[in-house]
Amino acid sequence: MSSGQAIFTDGPGTAPRRPGLFSRMWKQRADYLYVLPAIIVMLIVIGYPIYYTIDLSFSRTPTTLKLSDKTFVGLQNYVAILTSPNFWKVTWQTLVWTVLSTIFAFGLGLGAALSLHREFAGRAFMRGLLLIPWVISAVAASYVWKWLYHSDFGAIGALMVQIGVTDEPINFIDNTRTSLYALIVVNVWKEFSFAMIMLMAGLQTVPESLLRAAQVDGANAWQRFWHVTWPHLSGVSMVTILLLVVQNFNSFIIPFVMTGGGPAGSTHIWITHIYEIAFQRQNWGAGAAYAVILFILMMILGIFYVRALTRGDATRAGT
Amino acid sequence: MAEVILNQVVKTYGSIYAVNHVSLTVADGEFVALVGPSGCGKTTTLNLIAGLIPMSGGDIYIGDKLVNDLDPKDRDIAMVFQNYALYPNKTVFKNLAFPLQMRKLSKDVIDSKVMAAAKVLDITHLLERKPRELSGGQQQRVALGRALVRDPRAFLMDEPLSNLDAKLRVQMRSELKRFHHELNATVVYVTHDQLEAVTMSDKMAVMDGGYLQQYDTPKNVFDHPRNTFVASFVGSPAMSLFPLEIIGAGTSVSLGSPEGWSFPLNELNSRKANASTGKKVILGARHSTITVHKTAHPGAVPGKVYTVEPTGDVTFAQVFVGDSIVVVSVEPQVMLRLDEPVWLEFDQDRMHLFDGQTQLALNPA
Amino acid sequence: MSSMTHTEQLSVRSRRQIDGWRWTGRIFLAILLIFTVVPIAWMFITSLKTGFAAMQYPPQWWPAAPTLENYTRLLDTRDSVGQDFLRYFFNSMYVSVLTTILAILVAVPAAYAFSRFSFPGRTFLFFAVLMRNMFPAVVFLVPLFILMRVLGLVNTHGSLILTYLTFGLPLAIWLLKGFYDNIPIQLEQAARIDGATRFQAFFFIVMPLSTPGIIATAIYSFIGAWNEYIYAYTFLTRQDQMTLPVGIQRFFSENATDWPGLMAATFMMSVPVVVLFLVLQKYFVRALTEGAVKS
């Protein structure tokens, strides 16, 4: 505020007392009415379940979920899952699933966004086509790919034989070595266009004049991408990658519908594993303990996510 | 129309004062310009008058009514915004009708009032258009029309001309002045352009750093700036200011520079210099009060031409005097060469002296 | 890059280079399109086959005798398959439409408040709302199931609507906030000076301007609810209550998988969302990217 210029400052200098938090809250009570419905809904359907899950994770609960028979067991559930060999196997598979899905979805999305950035006839149509997998339900996608991968009548296996890649149709999803990767392909198919659409929006923020300037300065296409385009995309990329990681880590439908975690647990990831422990084996305590660990992991990711999302948001609210 | 009174008005954001104990009275029918650099608090002051943001302290009266806790809608004021704030989804007619609809006037009354306002502003042929189909000047008129259509007690205007191109701005300036005259309206007008303030207003309130620096008629502000900020802000080209040292005392004081030259002050200016809190004063001189000599001249100070800008009517030049740049003007036929040595003589009756420490204008002791 | 005059000034070498990149882009796009479209095409082709024609090796790349019988059966109210399918379809429609309406009603005022007001706790609440997106559905299943039991909503569509609402809300609020952020605050200020209350300024001026945002948010809520699987699978046990994603699954695993029928049902299930999406694509894309683009 001070301009560095000579400033006339003969007004009284004492600041009026800043009103306290509660009086400000009371003064602006009407503002809360706008957010109240949302907060109530969120509290009921989110606050309560989180409390409840934490409670369950420290207890042994009968398979009937009769809460009156619940007993406190301390950290027993946590110890049990962390020492189980399944824990590390599933965690490794989850990592492979999340990392590979994210890399490929982001890579294909970036390529698609760059190819579609230039104006040409049929661009909107192509964008629409590429977005269809993202729009349809994961259940539909799972069935379609299950049929494509079918061990006897699947189109992919038959095609590979016809063009001479293999002699026999490969059984992609009933094979513990290939099943996880086969599912990752489905996942990438389903979500790459999400990355594409985010990055297309990011590309619009790249100033055309900068690209021209770089071109005049003699930068080739790759140099222009690396020195001009990419720095403008980094913010959007951050948000996109975070969202993909969260989404992939939390995947359920594709493995659940396509393989149910099999064969031999080779496609179990955290969420399907939690579902199996809790709902199929009715081991509520262990399931809840898994969920609590997941909460913590997600909270850490969430801090980055919220930071990335709200960056530059800094209260524009004027009144 | 009504008067607008601000009494010790304060607006803070956290510990920052956006508006610091500002008091001023806008008389009924007066055109007052709030002027200052960006961030000086002028727009915040206007928003406080409008009631768009809550005050942190002080009182505001419109007419004889204390409006501190009134909603904008109950203050009975009209406002013209910098970006016009026309409702983009409504036609021009509906934009003009909106304030009247909100006051629940009958359809006939609304129609006739809108038509009357449209006629005054010559926008009758635009009534069915949407704002985005209008030129900048037309949008400006519609925004004015929306303020005119009801008879508010005061008009508030937030840089209404700054989005127009230079030519249109000059034209609208005269029109606004005419409009103020005909309506005998009370107008509070925010601008960062001191020329607009000087040419249009009855009184101008110069603000900086949240403080009201000076509040007076444009002539008085121009002739008697209260401090160095006002001196350098009002007038174009700006008043040249440069620090000098007081030599001697009593009725014959000289001002000297570190380079070693000095010149004597007349009796009135000597008394002013004596009122200074220290040995340092700041000399202020407008280009029109400085005579340029091509040869050494008694009482004139030596300098060197830095730039020359002929404008046709008059030629401006920047002259280095010591480390300070002084803007001078000469008749167009006088040829000045770059780096040419010149001697500047200050008109003692029209020069300004400011205290080197407080930056305030000095009065004779 | 799009300017021809500019390209003309460039040396032949770099022009060739640009053509090279352009061709790389085209080939990449072509491959990506094949990857995207072939599974969808295969779904449709299979749905035109009879059960016998589908179970052949090597497969008929195009059905020798295409038939619409799978579709007519799904839409036949006299056939039990058709009755079930249509019931699932209407259940899905009912749940999705109601979720969408409620989500808009709740999200609009909240998003507006987050965009405009600076009440204490605003930032915290906004973060809390966004955080919701971080948690997978499965971990909420048990507690929500018990909550629904307490509220007496088990085996009702109400349980799904309430759950979907919380799923959709964070994103809906975020999307809408992006729209409100882009509406100049001066418009409301002008309205309030023109005699409107704060609510009137919102209702008469801001609401109409945010229609594209509301449309986009509505599509998003609708698609989310229409495609949801896990809660529908857990909360509803009665056949006549089921929504499509759950319904078609139950239904086809009972009588050894009828692939052409399943593909026809999958296709039908995808039609509403794809059509809705393609028609209103521009709103949707704009809304989703609004937040990512601004800065």
Side-chain angles (χ1 to χ4, degrees), chain C residues 205-266:
Chain C
I205 303 298
V206 179
M207 271 281 270
L209 288 176
S210 60
T211 318
I214 292 176
I215 292 175
T217 311
I219 313 171
Y220 201 96
S221 300
F222 183 89
I223 292 179
W226 182 269
N227 288 344
E228 204 284 328
Y229 173 75
I230 305 167
Y231 290 108
Y233 181 73
T234 313
F235 288 174
L236 302 179
T237 51
R238 276 175 35 206
Q239 279 281 336
D240 61 331
Q241 295 269 344
M242 282 178 184
T243 56
L244 268 179
V246 183
I248 59 167
Q249 184 206 21
R250 297 256 158 136
F251 181 55
F252 285 101
S253 42
E254 276 165 19
N255 0 314
T257 312
D258 163 16
W259 285 104
L262 182 58
M263 289 299 113
T266 309

Side-chain angles (χ1 to χ4, degrees), chain B residues 36-56:
Chain B
S38 62
C40 74
K42 55 189 191 298
T43 299
T44 310
T45 307
L46 196 74
N47 285 339
L48 289 172
I49 300 174
L52 292 170
I53 49 178
M55 280 197 292
S56 311

Side-chain angles (χ1 to χ4, degrees), chain B residues 160-331:
Chain B
L161 304 185
S162 63
N163 282 9
L164 300 177
D165 62 56
K167 202 175 154 201
L168 203 52
R169 198 179 317 157
V170 174
Q171 184 195 334
M172 283 306 290
R173 211 155 73 191
S174 346
E175 279 193 39
L176 269 182
K177 214 170 163 182
R178 192 72 222 166
F179 147 88
H180 165 247
H181 174 73
E182 275 160 21
L183 284 162
N184 194 26
T186 307
V187 177
V188 182
Y189 185 101
V190 163
T191 178
H192 66 272
D193 180 352
Q194 57 88 24
L195 187 65
E196 255 178 40
V198 169
T199 52
M200 296 171 78
S201 66
D202 297 323
K203 272 185 172 179
M204 57 195 284
V206 185
M207 294 188 70
D208 188 44
Y211 287 98
L212 181 59
Q213 305 286 340
Q214 188 165 6
Y215 181 48
D216 212 328
T217 62
K219 181 163 173 38
N220 280 344
V221 171
F222 190 84
D223 290 342
H224 305 289
R226 203 173 155 198
N227 58 29
T228 52
F229 171 75
V230 178
S232 62
F233 187 77
V234 178
S236 176
M239 183 189 284
S240 304
L241 295 169
F242 53 106
L244 293 170
E245 196 113 350
I246 296 173
I247 302 168
T251 52
S252 62
V253 175
S254 291
L255 293 183
S257 79
E259 290 82 40
W261 52 260
S262 69
F263 68 94
L265 291 176
N266 67 12
E267 195 239 330
L268 179 70
N269 283 332
S270 297
R271 278 165 54 207
K272 283 186 183 174
N274 286 336
S276 165
T277 50
K279 278 279 160 207
K280 292 195 186 310
V281 291
I282 294 164
L283 172 71
R286 296 197 191 275
H287 65 92
S288 54
T289 69
I290 303 172
T291 313
V292 180
H293 298 282
K294 292 220 171 197
T295 52
H297 194 271
V301 306
K304 199 178 184 188
V305 176
Y306 183 58
T307 64
V308 180
E309 290 174 352
T311 64
D313 290 340
V314 61
T315 297
F316 292 106
Q318 297 186 331
V319 176
F320 258 110
V321 176
D323 292 335
S324 310
I325 281 192
V326 177
V327 178
V328 300
S329 59
V330 292
E331 296 288 311

Side-chain angles (χ1 to χ4, degrees), chain B residues 6 19 38 42 56 72 95 100 106-107 110 112 122 126 144 179 198 208 245 260 285-286:
Chain B
L6 275 68
V19 175
S38 62
K42 55 189 191 298
S56 311
N95 264 282
L100 304 172
S106 76
K107 208 183 159 303
I110 293 178
S112 69
D122 196 21
L126 304 174
L144 208 55
F179 147 88
V198 169
D208 188 44
E245 196 113 350
R286 296 197 191 275

